[in-house]
Amino acid sequence: MRRNLKSGRFAFIDLLGFSARVEAIINEEQLRALDEEVVYVQNEFEHKSTDRFIREEHKIVGKTVLAFSDCLVISVPLHSKVADSEGTFDLLMRELTSYAWAQGTCVLRGIFLRGGVDLGFWYRRKDALISPALVVPTGLSMPRAFP
C-alpha cells in the first residue's frame, strides 16, 4: 500500500459546459469537434505526450497525468530527484506556471476550464484513485499529507 501512496501537489481540471455540449450533439461533426477540444486540452496539460523530452521529465519528476472523458488529474510528488536538486518550491511553481500557460492557450481557442489545485496525499492502485484533491470541499480544513 505504501508504494502507491504519495504526498504532493494535485490538480483536477475539466472542460466547462462539457455535459451540456454532449447533450446538444446532433451530428458526427459536433461530436468530432468536441473530441478535438478534449484532445487539445489533454495535449496542453501533457497527457501521453509524444515528446520524448516531456515523457522523460515526467519520469524524473514523478509526474502523472491521467485523463477520463473531459477530466484530467495531475500529480507531482513533493519528493523526487528534481525536487532534491532544484527545491520543492521551484518544482511546484514551474508546474503552476505550466497550468497557467495551458489554460491561457485553451482560452485563446474558446475552451474554458475549471478545477482546482491541492496539496495532500494521492493513493493510486491500478484503476483506483483516492485523493482529497478530487473531493469538493464542504468546509475549510488543513491539507493532509503522509510523510
Side-chain angles (χ1 to χ4, degrees), residues 55-102:
R55 286 194 319 267
E56 188 63 28
E57 180 185 23
H58 286 197
K59 187 176 178 180
I60 293 168
V61 171
K63 180 176 180 176
T64 302
V65 182
L66 303 175
F68 176 76
S69 185
D70 71 318
C71 300
L72 290 166
V73 181
I74 304 167
S75 161
V76 176
L78 293 176
H79 307 289
S80 69
K81 293 175 185 176
V82 173
D84 291 344
S85 66
E86 292 183 12
T88 305
F89 179 81
D90 289 344
L91 174 66
L92 296 180
M93 286 308 295
R94 185 170 62 236
E95 279 299 311
L96 290 174
T97 302
S98 76
Y99 297 166
W101 278 106

Side-chain angles (χ1 to χ4, degrees), residues 22-36:
V22 169
E23 290 174 358
I25 290 173
I26 58 172
N27 58 42
E28 190 175 329
E29 185 178 307
Q30 290 175 333
L31 175 60
R32 188 172 293 120
L34 186 56
D35 180 52
E36 287 173 5

Side-chain angles (χ1 to χ4, degrees), residues 1-15:
M1 178 178 244
R2 232 355 160 163
R3 67 184 175 90
N4 298 331
L5 181 63
K6 295 182 173 71
S7 292
R9 199 263 324 116
F10 311 98
F12 175 82
I13 300 159
D14 73 351
L15 277 74

